[in-house]
Amino acid sequence: MLHSAVRDGENLAQWRPDLSSEEELKLLELWRQVFNLFDKHAEAEGNKAVHLRQVSKWDTAGSESSRRKRNHVGVNPDAKKVEDPFPGMSYEEVRRMFWALFKHDHPDHLLLRFLRHQKWDVAKAHEMMIKSEKWRHETRLEEDIMFNGEQGALNVLKDSNEKHARERAEGFLLQFRKGKNFVHGVDKEGRPIVYIRSRLHRSSEQPVESIERSIVYTFETTRLFMNPPVASALLIFDLTSFGIANMDFFPIKFMIGLFENYYPEAFDHVIIHRAPWIFQGFWKVIRGWISAEANQHIHFTNSVSDLENFIPRQNILKEFGGDDNWEYVYEEARPGENEQLAWTHERDHLLKERMEVIDKVEQLTCEWARGVEDGRDVKEIRDRRDIHIKELRTNYWKLDPMLRARSVYDRWGVIQADGTIVTPVLASRKNQVTVQSKGLRSQDSEDS
């Protein structure tokens, strides 16, 4: 099978979001609110504000022209102050929790997802970010779900005699052993494709907690497939041979909640493929849980020609009438594959390096905002900032095996140690060239 490799481009500036001047101000205002939260915790500890002293507070300070800009885009400096969402947490704890959101992502791209989802309302975008941070912290997403992964579930089955813990672990592994959901291939825009095969689901086969955990685990793993400029995925609900026994409203409602609250703009399109007539009644209920805007991204397909509107035929699975003869075969966790999770000294050293780079990114973000307020050309500042953001991406992939248990995608060689994602090429040469310019590279071109 032909493959492409998704890799970092040499020039991160080419991935810089294309923003209007108003959108740039909105993005910078969201950064200001983030820094304001940091500084509240710094001041609570008796320290001086670290960030906002470096840049206008976007209130009565700054030039008359900058105040006019803020009023034009709807930034309200007199908006009601919200209570501290993280009482009792230190400045460094709040700051580390915020930056843990990004992993290998370009931070501006992630902030823009929240802004777009909230129709550029900065206050609502910031509120949503905080809600996402709190949810990730409370669910111990990094410290438990991703750190333990599939191997952790196997360890429970091996070492625990507690019935409910064993049922949760068995149910978690069942999702992957059966291939209920998986990531494979890319669409016409180079977005990873997530498949959910509904016919394989029976609600009685596993506890609810196992379903929740596996869905979050899959969504979070899918993020690793999104390298700029790719910032979203394509989701396919495969309803082939779907029957009443497969219907379960809970996981559907749970996923909708994740989309709406914690993973904004994560899926550009959602495809419901081969829905039988019996699904119509269920859909009337499900549709009521989905916002009108989200409904615009949902598409019903029945044939391979329908799917070709989104996916090149070469990348459509053969079971759907396409040319990709790949089949899902789960590979169990291997002994010793997660030994780097115990490398705490190396991890702490890399985390220290990461925070040093973050210091520079924050400093340059303040300089960028100050330059925009003063009406100066900020290209040189943003270029320097992008260099450090690239350093953060490189740092993350060094840290990754010390933070995240290996997944089936690591064992398959799809996710490689440096963050390269090996995925099927697009069907036409024209599309290949288009995506190559965005950061995809054809393995054929390497081998020729």
Side-chain angles (χ1 to χ4, degrees), residues 249-275:
F249 284 116
F250 167 75
I252 300 297
K253 198 165 190 177
F254 181 72
M255 281 188 276
I256 292 171
L258 293 181
F259 298 156
E260 293 290 337
N261 297 308
Y262 311 125
Y263 290 91
E265 310 284 316
F267 294 95
D268 198 64
H269 296 289
V270 176
I271 294 174
I272 301 175
H273 189 60
R274 292 176 176 168

Side-chain angles (χ1 to χ4, degrees), residues 1 184 313-319 322-326 424:
M1 180 185 293
H184 175 72
R313 181 179 285 263
Q314 181 174 335
N315 292 354
I316 298 174
L317 294 176
K318 187 154 285 188
E319 62 186 273
D323 298 335
D324 186 353
N325 59 9
W326 180 87

Side-chain angles (χ1 to χ4, degrees), residues 86-104:
F86 305 114
M89 295 186 71
S90 71
Y91 163 74
E92 284 298 338
E93 286 173 332
V94 171
R95 190 165 166 245
R96 286 179 184 274
M97 184 167 59
F98 169 77
W99 281 100
L101 276 173
F102 297 100
K103 297 190 175 184
H104 69 307

Side-chain angles (χ1 to χ4, degrees), residues 144-145 147-159 169 172-173 213 333 337-338 341 405-406:
D144 176 19
I145 296 176
F147 184 86
N148 289 308
E150 299 156 44
Q151 181 67 63
L154 284 175
N155 291 342
V156 170
L157 295 177
K158 177 184 175 184
D159 302 329
F172 175 76
L173 288 171
R213 189 180 183 93
E337 69 178 14
N338 293 309
L341 292 176
R406 302 300 85 185

Side-chain angles (χ1 to χ4, degrees), residues 25-42:
L25 286 171
K26 292 279 191 176
L27 175 59
L28 289 170
E29 170 61 13
L30 183 52
W31 274 112
R32 189 203 67 80
Q33 293 205 15
V34 169
F35 292 159
N36 182 54
L37 181 60
F38 292 172
D39 286 348
K40 283 181 180 178
H41 282 261

